Amino acid sequence: MSLLDATLAAGRREAESRMRDTVRLYTQAADVFDRTTGQTVPGAQTTLYEGVGRVKPVAQASGVDTEAGEREVRLLDYLVSLPWSVPLPPGARVLPGMRIEVTTSQDSRMAGLVLWVTGAQFSDQATAWRINAEDRS
């Protein structure tokens, strides 16, 4: 093992030791309107990853106010770190619009937070897999 490989392995172990949240990365199909009940039924969800992660706000004070569905929302940026070794199902890619749900956290206020993926960063020399996301609440 080269010095670089040993250093990366140590960095990945350290990064993973800081992942104290449990998250779920998933896709969600489009909502469907049920004419019988008059209700909109959420689309089916497909989980791509469920396990440890680290969710942290990025420049929270610089969130952007915008309008969505005739209501004001504030877009707050987050960086979600997953273990570098996490595989995705064959043929799957992380794409904008996917979602990340914080299922448990040491900070109980974060549990239930749903973030929208805006991008992902991949590198063979990274210590974690990082996903950019935003809170659209």
Side-chain angles (χ1 to χ4, degrees):
M1 178 183 287
S2 73
L3 178 58
L4 174 60
D5 290 335
T7 302
L8 283 170
R12 290 171 181 155
R13 282 190 303 275
E14 187 62 31
E16 194 166 340
S17 75
R18 298 181 70 200
M19 296 178 191
R20 298 167 45 140
D21 302 315
T22 304
V23 299
R24 183 171 69 100
L25 170 65
Y26 64 96
T27 62
Q28 183 158 350
D31 295 346
V32 178
F33 181 73
D34 183 337
R35 293 187 186 280
T36 306
T37 64
Q39 301 291 320
T40 299
V41 179
Q45 295 181 356
T46 302
T47 299
L48 300 175
Y49 169 76
E50 190 163 9
V52 298
R54 181 174 182 225
V55 180
K56 69 177 192 170
V58 177
Q60 189 169 2
S62 66
V64 176
D65 291 324
T66 190
E67 192 171 302
E70 298 184 15
R71 71 179 183 103
E72 286 289 319
V73 296
R74 185 159 181 84
L75 305 178
L76 301 173
D77 294 326
Y78 283 80
L79 184 63
V80 180
S81 298
L82 303 180
W84 186 84
S85 60
V86 167
L88 284 175
R93 292 187 48 87
V94 175
L95 300 171
M98 290 181 171
R99 298 178 197 171
I100 297 174
E101 177 185 7
V102 179
T103 54
T104 62
S105 177
Q106 299 274 332
D107 182 348
S108 61
R109 295 166 291 194
M110 289 188 57
L113 177 65
V114 176
L115 303 171
W116 294 71
V117 172
T118 58
Q121 303 167 29
F122 304 100
S123 171
D124 72 325
Q125 294 186 21
T127 57
W129 175 23
R130 292 179 177 86
I131 301 173
N132 300 47
E134 64 188 11
D135 175 6
R136 296 182 176 176
S137 56

